[in-house]
Amino acid sequence: MTRASFVSAVAAVFVLLGACATFPVGAGNPTPDSPVIAGSERIFQLEALSKLVGRNAEGPFRRFVDEARALGMNAIKLDLPWRFTEVERGRFDWNRIDAQLVYLASKGMKASIAISLRELPEWLVASRQEGQHWVMENERGRPCTLFLFGEHFYVPSFHVPALREAVSAYHQAIAAHFREQPSLRPTILYYITTWTPSFESEYPWVAYCDFSDAAHADYQQFLERTYGRIETLNYVWGVERPYQTFTNVSIPPIDGSRGTPDLTVADQDWFAFRTDSLARWVRACRDGIKSGDPSAPYGIQLSVTAQEGAAGGCAKRGTYGFPSYAEGLDWLVVDDAPDTDHSFTLDNVRASLPGTKIVSEIDGPQLAANMRGSKATREAALDRRYFEQGSLSWEHGAYGVEAGNWSGGWDGLPPEQAIANWPFFKRLAPLATRPVTKPAVRGSRHVSVQELFAHHEDSSFVDKVLRDYAHDSRSGAAALDIVYDCDQLVADPAEGRDAFVFSKDFGSRQGAARWQYLDLHDRRFTRLVWDGNASRWQSPTSTARISKGALEPGSTDPVILWIAPRAGKVAVDATARKESAGGDGVLVEMWQLVGRTSEKVLDAEIQGSDTTGHPFQLHRDVKAGDVFAFRVSARHDPRYDRVLLDPKITYQAKGATTPTDGAPR
């Protein structure tokens, strides 16, 4: 590979801020002796989110609750719409929700509260500045509308500071109100916030973008924090017409048909920005609840992102791994589609978010029309499938099972969606009386490909995962005992550090301490994937790998990058040497990339018998975003080519006397 080819490949990826949340070790088939969580009680919950039931505290609501209780349910999910609760700024109408809680308590039932932001209060809408919509806008500057259930819905913009402050204050008022109601507070299991028409806490889908002025300003600031200089963005994105400033960069249209591995660098930045914005919005909601009542449990509700979002990002919603915005929450509601692998989802979430309590939603029978056979045959097959989802959810560590879109006859849904018509509810009721169990998760949060196949019998699903995010065939992937990672934002702990030592900083998260672990082949970089069993980074296409203080080439070249967190003078100190004698030797290179220019600062050929190696020291001035790249290549035969390389990069004190020519010494 030529010098220009290598530099071009490095520049194409060096600022991708990946982290790694991996496939979890599945719980398999839990044994009867799975440990019981002391003092816990399973939740068997029915949604009351329709207008007829949810916004009424008298006859319809009470009959609805009585019907659910007769089927063995012990909780109801209540709707708390912002528009009808905070009737004026700082003035609230709690009458309906209080009355609902009083009635549930009289029946010995619990409640979860869904704080709905789907409709903004009229007083808030009236307080907007001219030209602001405070909801997501399309490219023409008009509010994005979603038409569902015969109504138009809007999704609030995550990018208006005044709106985030109002949302946080509303959450604070809710938690404070119930904290001051000692007779009602024990009835509440947890709060969640929803803002989509389907009562979820995420983007409706990837093509649903916010092109508002506030979103553009947020996006441009995000890019400036990521790249530091517009020249660096131009170089990495490979734009034909360079941007002059970050304010020239517009939000890109995204093709929702593409999977996350196919995204360009600019698209990956856009996904990272959406994830970062979603995380900030969730924090505003959570912090509001905790300000009003520090002990109040809080969570969110996710759909497909809980299935795909920890496996390379969720292309359907345009975000990276869900742990980056759900980590630290008390509860997570997962509304899997009925035909997904529920055991995988529960294992995935439970391993990715240790300590978070999970509720699995059983969605209404929308699949009936796609199944063969008579109506009675279809409904019997669905009934078995729903019972299996509920029982599997509890077996795989869920605290609760929730029935969503099952109130036919009460809210205008078809009669076949009435809960009384489906036997599986009564079959699940006895399981709800058992305590919550916590099936053991073997080993760490990582799972090998073999274990993934062993614990999930749906091989077509596993094949899809591997095909989408790694290999094209099951046999090719199964030969590698590795873990496929995802992209997840990571807080950067490196801002105030002076010393960076590769072996000490080495770990399972891309981008941590400014280190990246990559694979170079045919002028193209790919991220290495973390092998939790061997504690190393592995190429998905060859035997190349990176371990703590060592690089081992294969048919591709392992590369480690270090990205400068700030400007200053740095000293680089390292020695590259063969771990053992043998083979035909290796090539070791070190490059420094500064904006649009680059320089090779080390080019050493280490013979097969040379275990002494090449020490080198250099001192360089760097700016934030500059890169040092370390690459090891096999000459011909990669056997015996493991190279010990442990760079130490140290910022020098101001006024220190050091060489500046950068020559290896």
Side-chain angles (χ1 to χ4, degrees), residues 610-621:
D610 185 357
T611 58
T612 301
H614 291 251
F616 59 96
Q617 297 175 338
L618 65 151
H619 299 80
R620 287 296 174 96
D621 292 319

Side-chain angles (χ1 to χ4, degrees), residues 206-230:
V206 66
Y208 200 87
C209 300
D210 186 0
F211 292 92
S212 65
D213 291 342
H216 270 97
D218 245 3
Y219 179 55
Q220 291 156 0
Q221 292 168 13
F222 174 84
L223 294 176
E224 188 168 6
R225 291 194 305 271
T226 301
Y227 289 98
R229 302 191 303 275
I230 192 63

Side-chain angles (χ1 to χ4, degrees), residues 380-403:
L382 277 174
D383 192 82
R384 291 191 298 271
R385 179 177 292 181
Y386 289 129
F387 174 76
E388 181 183 59
Q389 178 181 351
S391 58
L392 275 176
S393 296
W394 276 321
E395 289 174 3
H396 285 256
Y399 273 68
V401 169
E402 172 181 302

Side-chain angles (χ1 to χ4, degrees), residues 3 25 46 56 109 240 255 377 420 479 599 616 632:
R3 172 182 182 274
V25 176
L46 181 63
N56 191 307
M109 300 181 73
E240 294 182 1
D255 180 0
T377 300
E599 180 184 358
F616 59 96
V632 175

Side-chain angles (χ1 to χ4, degrees), residues 190-214:
Y190 56 87
Y191 303 92
I192 66 170
T193 310
T194 67
W195 48 81
T196 71
S198 50
F199 289 94
E200 293 167 349
S201 315
E202 53 191 338
Y203 295 92
W205 50 76
V206 66
Y208 200 87
C209 300
D210 186 0
F211 292 92
S212 65
D213 291 342

Side-chain angles (χ1 to χ4, degrees), residues 426-633:
K426 290 185 177 180
R427 294 174 62 200
L428 285 175
L431 300 180
T433 63
R434 301 177 184 177
V436 177
T437 59
K438 189 177 182 180
V441 177
R442 297 186 306 280
S444 68
R445 292 173 58 188
H446 309 288
V447 61
S448 68
V449 173
Q450 289 89 335
E451 288 175 300
L452 185 62
F453 282 113
H455 291 287
H456 297 284
E457 297 179 358
D458 186 356
S459 60
S460 62
F461 171 77
V462 178
D463 280 341
K464 177 182 182 300
V465 171
L466 299 181
R467 183 173 62 253
D468 287 351
Y469 302 115
H471 290 276
D472 292 325
S473 67
R474 176 173 178 171
S475 59
L480 297 173
D481 187 25
I482 62 177
V483 177
Y484 290 94
D485 67 327
C486 76
D487 296 300
Q488 173 189 335
L489 297 178
V490 181
D492 182 8
E495 286 300 327
R497 290 179 54 180
D498 289 329
F500 300 81
V501 182
F502 175 63
S503 60
K504 292 182 178 180
D505 296 333
F506 182 82
S508 62
R509 307 184 75 175
Q510 288 273 14
R514 313 299 291 182
W515 298 99
Q516 297 272 347
Y517 310 91
L518 306 172
D519 184 34
L520 180 63
H521 178 64
D522 194 22
R523 301 177 61 182
R524 180 180 179 183
F525 269 116
T526 57
R527 288 190 183 92
L528 298 184
V529 291
W530 178 251
D531 177 355
N533 298 320
S535 297
R536 66 190 179 196
W537 291 91
Q538 171 73 56
S539 167
T541 58
S542 80
T543 58
R545 56 181 65 100
I546 297 176
S547 306
K548 185 175 182 178
L551 289 78
E552 188 172 349
S555 57
T556 59
D557 299 344
V559 179
I560 55 176
L561 302 183
W562 180 81
I563 305 173
R566 63 184 187 277
K569 187 184 295 293
V570 299
V572 181
D573 189 354
T575 297
R577 63 182 180 86
K578 293 280 301 298
E579 182 180 52
S580 59
D584 56 2
V586 296
L587 303 175
V588 180
E589 297 177 350
M590 175 184 171
W591 292 78
Q592 182 181 3
L593 282 72
V594 181
R596 300 179 63 88
T597 63
S598 60
E599 180 184 358
K600 184 188 292 187
V601 294
L602 173 71
D603 185 3
E605 183 174 342
I606 303 177
Q607 301 301 320
S609 59
D610 185 357
T611 58
T612 301
H614 291 251
F616 59 96
Q617 297 175 338
L618 65 151
H619 299 80
R620 287 296 174 96
D621 292 319
V622 297
K623 296 180 180 179
D626 288 356
V627 175
F628 289 122
F630 304 85
R631 172 192 181 189
V632 175
S633 308

